[in-house]
Amino acid sequence: MITRNTGSACAALLLAATTFSSFAAETDFDAVQITAQKVAGNVHMLQGNGGNIGVSLGADGVLMIDDQFAPLSDKIKAAIRQLGGEAPKFLLNTHWHGDHSGGNENFADTATIIAHENVRVRIADPANGRVPAALPVITYADGISIHFNGEEIRLIHLPHGHTDGDTAVWFTDSNVIHMGDEYVVGGFPFLDLDSGGSAQGLIENHTQLLALLPDDIRIIPGHGPLSNKAEMTAWINSVRDSAKIITDQMAAGKSLPDILAQGLPEQYDSMGTGFINEAAYITAVYTSSSTP
Ligand SMILES: [Zn+2]
């Protein structure tokens, strides 16, 4: 159902642990370089291979969000030291996918891992082959706040969008939010239906969150370059409009093969060139909209 396009920046949205393992085996992690950029206030963004990493650095120490793949942990630690930071005290997972939580166990000696309760359930699933040290130690249902480096860092659960365990992490003074894979720049969203994701959930999450966020907030997406509220608003509007085209056809009695054959209007072509192509997106919207 999901087609993987290996050249894409989002290629690592790899869901099933089996796929995760085979991807990890194929990737030349030795060649990956970790780059860092200041976002605003206490917050920096690290990029390498996998989901974007957020780092809060200040008088209280280091808190990090997501950790890409296990073979990259030493390089990520070195990049944090380069910024002047020590070993992380807290590690937050925006969700369970291996390109965001794959290095958990390598940070667990110093960092308390915090995530939504469904993240713990999924990482603990024996089918995913993770070690106990990879598990979040503190979990929550709706959200939690961490008071660190002079600001409230607000974790907000985003139910049933990308998965059923996504969290947005809002640095309220630095004026930055890390969206995890609830927002990826440019392409169609990956709706991981096997992990409780859905199109309508993703759209509803954005509607509620956008109403809370200041207009000038800086946004770290799950994948892709730093972004802002105007870009994220335009993106979710495209998702909402394209999903409506699909659900309108469903309401008119069209089958999935009919809708796939019809396709989406040309204006959405550029969204289908990355990790999630148009057929995968249509299928995911169709499937998640047919099950209440
Ligand atoms: Zn993901």
Side-chain angles (χ1 to χ4, degrees):
M1 183 176 71
I2 302 295
T3 309
R4 184 150 77 92
N5 209 338
T6 44
S8 122
C10 301
L13 288 169
L14 291 170
L15 5 183
T18 47
T19 323
F20 167 52
S21 310
S22 58
F23 177 80
E26 289 161 17
T27 303
D28 180 9
F29 288 110
D30 289 345
V32 175
Q33 294 191 340
I34 307 294
T35 59
Q37 75 182 106
K38 171 102 185 227
V39 182
N42 301 323
V43 184
H44 301 254
M45 178 172 86
L46 304 184
Q47 294 185 295
N49 186 303
N52 290 329
I53 294 173
V55 173
S56 166
L57 201 144
D60 295 337
V62 170
L63 168 150
M64 66 186 284
I65 303 167
D66 290 347
D67 54 37
Q68 302 192 343
F69 295 101
L72 297 174
S73 298
D74 286 342
K75 288 183 184 186
I76 293 164
K77 289 175 184 179
I80 292 171
R81 278 195 301 273
Q82 198 110 47
L83 292 172
E86 309 276 319
K89 289 183 179 170
F90 294 103
L91 168 58
L92 320 183
N93 290 149
T94 58
H95 63 293
W96 78 277
H97 286 155
D99 56 327
H100 295 257
S101 74
N104 275 11
E105 55 268 39
N106 298 331
F107 292 90
D109 55 339
T110 66
T112 301
I113 305 176
I114 305 175
H116 185 264
E117 58 195 20
N118 291 343
V119 173
R120 184 178 161 95
V121 170
R122 295 192 189 282
I123 292 179
D125 184 335
N128 292 322
R130 303 294 302 269
V131 297
L135 291 170
V137 173
I138 297 176
T139 61
Y140 47 84
D142 299 322
I144 196 168
S145 282
I146 302 169
H147 300 268
F148 194 72
N149 286 338
E151 67 180 321
E152 180 185 1
I153 302 167
R154 206 176 290 169
L155 282 64
I156 303 170
H157 177 223
L158 304 169
H160 299 291
H162 171 60
T163 70
D164 60 8
D166 292 83
T167 293
V169 182
W170 183 2
F171 297 88
T172 55
D173 280 3
S174 296
N175 200 22
V176 174
I177 192 165
H178 190 313
M179 290 294 298
D181 284 354
E182 200 76 6
Y183 174 42
V184 295
V185 170
F188 287 125
F190 169 39
L191 305 165
D192 181 359
L193 307 193
D194 291 340
S195 299
S198 77
Q200 299 314 320
L202 185 96
I203 293 164
E204 182 57 28
N205 289 340
H206 275 266
T207 302
Q208 292 192 16
L209 194 58
L210 282 165
L212 300 176
L213 299 180
D215 288 342
D216 59 353
I217 196 164
R218 306 295 306 276
I219 299 180
I220 302 176
H223 296 265
L226 276 181
S227 188
N228 57 50
K229 190 174 171 183
E231 285 176 3
M232 190 164 83
T233 303
W235 178 81
I236 197 64
N237 287 343
S238 294
V239 172
R240 185 186 291 107
D241 294 347
S242 56
K244 185 170 186 307
I245 291 169
I246 297 162
T247 53
D248 281 352
Q249 291 182 83
M250 291 169 68
K254 296 261 182 70
S255 69
L256 177 58
D258 289 343
I259 301 171
L260 285 168
Q262 168 90 33
L264 288 169
E266 219 171 82
Q267 69 190 96
Y268 300 106
D269 285 358
S270 66
M271 292 182 81
T273 58
F275 173 59
I276 300 297
N277 66 25
E278 186 178 296
Y281 174 67
I282 291 174
T283 303
V285 172
Y286 180 96
T287 308
S288 67
S289 305
S290 358
T291 43

